[in-house]
Amino acid sequence: MKRYMNMALMYAVFAMVGGVFYREFTKFNGFTQKTALSVVHTHYFLLGMVFFLLLLLLEKNFSFTGAKTGKVLAAYHTGLNLTAVMLAVRGVTQVLAPGLSHGMDRAISGIAGIGHILLGVSMILLLEQVRRSISAADKQPKKVVKSN
């Protein structure tokens, strides 16, 4: 559970850094249009901090962590960070308008897509582990608590 709390805290910090970078970078460059930088903050808060806080609560109640959880979490972290970094790269290129080649533009989108795929698949695998642990908990005999 401590690992989940540490990850939630780490992603909360990343979210705040992403939000500050978005505000200051666009202000410094006089950019007022919509940019992908604006969603780095929310990706890290929701898919990072909130997701790991939920995993902490689910672990406390259902003990879903198993032998494969570490590998699935590694894929989740990779997917989330790859997605956020590519959103930041896309946002910086939108602000600075360096005139990307068609291939470079597609590469940024493709790498962000790979991050989203890793994130989605690993999220489904984690939720499947939770579902199995809930099913196992439902099959356990219920304890009767006597009151005075």
Side-chain angles (χ1 to χ4, degrees), residues 4-59:
Y4 295 131
M5 187 63 230
N6 289 339
M7 292 298 104
L9 182 59
M10 179 187 75
Y11 283 121
V13 171
F14 287 176
M16 289 180 220
V17 169
V20 169
F21 179 75
Y22 160 64
R23 288 282 182 215
E24 296 305 316
F25 186 70
T26 54
K27 187 179 0 174
F28 180 77
N29 286 287
F31 191 83
T32 58
Q33 298 171 341
K34 183 86 171 138
T35 174
L37 285 173
S38 67
V39 296
V40 172
H41 175 75
T42 52
H43 272 70
Y44 271 140
F45 261 133
L46 292 175
L47 295 172
M49 185 192 76
V50 171
F51 188 73
F52 279 95
L53 285 174
L54 289 172
L55 286 182
L56 176 126
L57 295 173
L58 290 166
E59 177 63 24

Side-chain angles (χ1 to χ4, degrees), residues 46-141:
L46 292 175
L47 295 172
M49 185 192 76
V50 171
F51 188 73
F52 279 95
L53 285 174
L54 289 172
L55 286 182
L56 176 126
L57 295 173
L58 290 166
E59 177 63 24
K60 181 170 175 51
N61 289 312
F62 301 108
S63 300
F64 73 90
T65 300
K68 297 178 183 178
T69 307
K71 291 178 183 176
V72 176
L73 284 174
Y76 188 87
H77 290 299
T78 302
L80 178 54
N81 288 301
L82 189 58
T83 298
V85 165
M86 295 318 292
L87 284 169
V89 168
R90 170 66 70 201
V92 167
T93 61
Q94 289 170 330
V95 172
L96 298 178
L100 294 176
S101 68
H102 182 71
M104 185 59 82
D105 184 58
R106 295 289 182 194
I108 292 170
S109 296
I111 295 169
I114 291 169
H116 277 89
I117 290 168
L118 277 172
L119 191 58
V121 168
S122 58
M123 186 183 293
I124 296 299
L125 291 172
L126 282 167
L127 292 174
E128 181 59 31
Q129 285 183 352
V130 171
R131 185 174 76 145
R132 279 195 300 270
S133 68
I134 290 171
S135 293
D138 284 345
K139 292 177 184 175
Q140 297 286 329

